[in-house]
């Protein structure tokens, strides 16, 4: 009963918060996150009143299966943006910008935090500096996709943004693996080339291979059904199965085999949208089915944010520096590479702003960083601090950038009048 009650509270709180913050014209993502913070263990949940929010972090963690499924569908939707026709136009630009802006963020954060390490070596070690620089690569595809969907963004900036956000995951995995390997080597005094290079490359290759196989299987199975309802059910089942398979984790000798659920489900969506003739219809139907799951996911994400990180002055100071210089690295990295690839002025000017949100992938990286023991706690807390700020303000900045670039169009007077007429007719019927 507690789990069902928590899910219902999360969904209702998120939806009600969107109405409350509508007057501020905030994206729904931000409203969901704020709702999560309010019903989380640091606010209403701290009152320990039955049925009023999450009482502990353990209660939030108990719903992690919904978060895993939601991330799978988010990655599946982003994968559908990699259509061959579109990639022929923007593929080269997306690859160059995706790699360059990620490395620029890492380099800038590494340099600035290294300077802080020289000033306060007792608070920030070189190993922690390297790991935090690697985490700076990650961007949150979930928040970005939700803003694009909510406002039906469409244009040159949006067509580049989603492939770049997807590419961030692959680039981030490699950069983090190398940086984390060096960080561990500095602590133990030896270099493990398998952990440094082999494992991250295998994770990317196996994730893409698994997603491709599942995409092909899904397309073949779709041919067995004539009803779009059954096809939709099959698509949903295939995504959930792919999420489950991507959780496999095993060793072959010294080599660690694991999968990235984001990469796997992205490849599933990519193969499916390119070889299944009904993919567009099924994707649109799946988007409607997953809407409440996404709402619950963001409320849970908000509840999982640890407000206790604000109590440590050192974490706040390092966190502020991390946020500022990661943002600068993302913005100017995207600006320079967009200029280099001859993108339009609006793309050059606003693309970097849309790359600020940070969440799931970064949190996964800081969980891995806990393997280095006591030093991992500082990395985790700084990442949590940054995620809290980025997730609350990042979607709003993304909306503003897409609007300024012309990809989000203001609602026309005709549509406004039509909605008012429908609401008036409905009220008359009720009377």
């Amino acid at each position: 009963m507690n789990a069902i009650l928590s899910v219902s509270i999360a969904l209702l709180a998120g939806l009600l918060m969107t109405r409350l913050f509508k007057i501020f014209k905030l994206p729904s993502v931000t409203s969901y996150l704020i709702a999560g913070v309010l019903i989380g263990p640091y606010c209403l949940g701290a009152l320990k009143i039955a049925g009023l929010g999450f009482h502990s972090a353990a209660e939030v963690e108990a719903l992690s299966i919904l978060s895993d499924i939601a991330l799978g569908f988010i990655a599946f939707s982003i994968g559908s943006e990699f259509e061959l026709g579109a990639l022929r136009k923007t593929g080269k630009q997306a690859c160059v910008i995706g790699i360059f802006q990620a490395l620029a963020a890492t380099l800038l954060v590494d340099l600035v935090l290294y300077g802080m390490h020289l000033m306060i070596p007792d608070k920030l070690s070189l190993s922690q500096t390297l790991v935090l620089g690697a985490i700076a690569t990650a961007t949150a595809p979930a928040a970005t996709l939700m803003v694009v969907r909510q406002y039906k963004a469409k244009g040159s900036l949006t067509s580049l943004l989603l492939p770049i956000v997807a590419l961030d995951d692959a680039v981030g995995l490699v950069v983090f693996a190398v940086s984390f390997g060096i960080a561990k080597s500095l602590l133990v005094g030896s270099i493990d080339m398998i952990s440094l290079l082999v494992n991250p490359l295998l994770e990317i290759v196996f994730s893409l291979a698994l997603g491709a196989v599942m995409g092909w299987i899904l397309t073949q199975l779709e041919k067995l059904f004539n009803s779009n309802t059954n096809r939709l059910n099959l698509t949903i089942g295939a995504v959930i199965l792919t999420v489950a398979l991507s959780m496999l984790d095993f060793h072959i000798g010294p080599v660690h085999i694991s999968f990235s659920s984001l990469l796997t489900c992205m490849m599933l969506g990519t193969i499916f949208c390119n070889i299944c003739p009904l993919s567009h219809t099924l994707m649109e139907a799946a988007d409607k089915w997953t809407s409440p799951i996404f709402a619950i996911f963001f409320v849970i994400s908000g509840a999982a944010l640890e407000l206790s990180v604000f109590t440590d002055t050192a974490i706040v100071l390092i966190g502020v520096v991390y946020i500022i210089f990661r943002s600068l690295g993302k913005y100017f990295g995207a600006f320079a590479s967009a200029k280099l690839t001859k993108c339009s002025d609006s793309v050059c000017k606003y693309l970097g702003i849309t790359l600020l949100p940070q969440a799931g992938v970064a949190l996964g990286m800081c969980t891995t960083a806990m393997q280095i023991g006591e030093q991992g706690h500082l990395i985790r807390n700084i990442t949590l601090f940054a995620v809290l700020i980025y997730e609350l303000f990042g979607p709003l900045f993304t909306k503003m950038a897409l609007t300024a670039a012309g990809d989000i169009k203001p609602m026309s007077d005709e549509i406004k009048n039509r909605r008012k007429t429908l609401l008036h007719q409905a009220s008359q019927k009720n009377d």
Side-chain angles (χ1 to χ4, degrees):
M1 187 187 79
N2 288 337
I4 296 174
L5 186 62
S6 297
V7 170
S8 62
I9 289 172
L11 180 57
L12 292 173
L15 292 174
L16 291 173
M17 194 59 68
T18 62
R19 298 303 88 192
L20 182 62
F21 280 91
K22 187 177 181 181
I23 57 175
F24 300 112
K25 298 183 179 180
L26 292 177
S28 294
V29 177
T30 304
S31 300
Y32 292 145
L33 289 164
I34 293 173
V37 171
L38 291 178
I39 66 172
Y42 293 94
C43 293
L44 293 179
L47 300 176
K48 305 295 182 182
I49 300 174
L52 188 64
F54 298 97
H55 298 169
S56 66
E59 289 187 12
V60 180
E61 182 63 26
L63 299 178
S64 61
I65 185 173
L66 290 176
S67 297
D68 293 334
I69 292 173
L71 281 173
F73 278 102
I74 288 166
F76 179 64
S77 296
I78 291 178
S80 67
E81 299 295 324
F82 287 93
E83 286 187 291
L84 290 178
L87 287 178
R88 290 190 184 99
K89 299 178 182 177
T90 61
K92 181 180 178 181
Q93 291 175 325
C95 286
V96 172
I97 297 171
I99 295 172
F100 194 88
Q101 56 82 26
L103 296 179
T106 293
L107 182 60
L108 191 56
V109 170
D110 275 341
L111 288 173
V112 175
L113 292 186
Y114 179 69
M116 292 190 71
H117 158 68
L118 295 178
M119 291 186 289
I120 48 173
D122 57 322
K123 289 287 186 181
L124 184 66
S125 70
L126 181 57
S127 295
Q128 291 168 327
T129 295
L130 291 172
V131 175
L132 285 169
I135 293 175
T137 59
T139 302
T144 303
L145 179 65
M146 282 292 287
V147 173
V148 169
R149 278 188 181 177
Q150 180 185 352
Y151 297 101
K152 297 180 175 58
K154 188 176 182 181
S156 57
L157 178 54
T158 304
S159 63
L160 266 177
L161 173 60
L162 294 179
I164 289 172
V165 170
L167 186 62
D168 246 10
D169 191 24
V171 177
L173 282 174
V174 175
V175 173
F176 178 78
V178 173
S179 297
F180 186 60
I182 296 172
K184 286 198 298 184
S185 300
L186 291 172
L187 293 174
V188 302
S190 62
I191 297 177
D192 180 4
M193 292 304 295
I194 292 179
S195 298
L196 199 64
L197 294 175
V198 177
N199 288 341
L201 291 176
L202 286 179
E203 180 175 346
I204 293 172
V205 171
F206 280 106
S207 296
L208 296 177
L210 176 60
V213 170
M214 292 302 296
W216 182 84
I217 292 174
L218 173 58
T219 303
Q220 302 311 309
L221 292 177
E222 296 284 7
K223 298 175 183 178
L224 301 177
F225 299 93
N226 296 319
S227 165
N228 276 347
T229 300
N230 288 334
R231 290 191 180 111
L232 174 61
N233 294 338
L234 177 63
T235 303
I236 292 169
V239 175
I240 296 174
L241 175 60
T242 303
V243 171
L245 291 176
S246 67
M247 294 179 180
L248 291 172
D249 191 297
F250 53 92
H251 289 80
I252 301 177
V255 178
H256 178 213
I257 305 297
S258 61
F259 301 86
S260 163
S261 62
L262 283 174
L263 277 181
T264 304
C265 292
M266 281 177 192
M267 180 55 76
L268 168 68
T270 299
I271 298 299
F272 182 61
C273 78
N274 278 289
I275 67 176
C276 179
L278 298 171
S279 61
H280 289 288
T281 301
L282 295 173
M283 284 283 190
E284 289 178 2
D287 288 346
K288 296 177 182 178
W289 182 87
T290 54
S291 179
I293 294 180
F294 289 173
I296 294 170
F297 165 72
F298 284 108
V299 175
I300 293 173
S301 298
L305 295 174
E306 296 189 20
L307 304 185
S308 59
V309 296
F310 287 110
T311 61
D312 190 321
T313 306
I315 289 174
V316 172
L317 175 61
I318 299 171
V320 168
V321 171
Y322 171 88
I323 290 169
I324 292 173
F325 286 94
R326 175 187 176 269
S327 302
L328 291 174
K330 286 285 182 181
Y331 181 81
F332 287 107
F335 181 87
S337 52
K339 280 286 187 183
L340 183 66
T341 54
K342 299 179 181 180
C343 293
S344 65
D345 290 340
S346 62
V347 170
C348 295
K349 187 175 181 180
Y350 298 111
L351 177 60
I353 299 173
T354 64
L355 299 173
L356 297 184
Q358 188 176 47
V361 178
L363 293 175
M365 290 176 176
C366 73
T367 300
T368 302
M370 295 296 288
Q371 295 175 10
I372 62 176
E374 190 65 30
Q375 294 202 24
H377 290 286
L378 178 69
I379 295 170
R380 180 176 180 273
N381 287 335
I382 290 172
T383 305
L384 287 171
F385 173 80
V387 166
L388 176 63
I389 302 302
Y390 277 128
E391 283 298 272
L392 291 177
F393 296 100
L396 177 61
F397 291 152
T398 299
K399 175 201 169 187
M400 293 168 62
L402 290 171
T403 302
D407 284 28
I408 294 178
K409 304 292 191 298
M411 190 182 298
S412 65
D413 292 336
E414 180 183 350
I415 295 176
K416 290 180 181 178
N417 292 332
R418 192 185 307 162
R419 287 191 176 184
K420 288 180 181 178
T421 302
L422 290 173
L423 288 171
H424 180 66
Q425 291 174 349
S427 64
Q428 286 183 328
K429 285 182 182 179
N430 291 332
D431 293 339

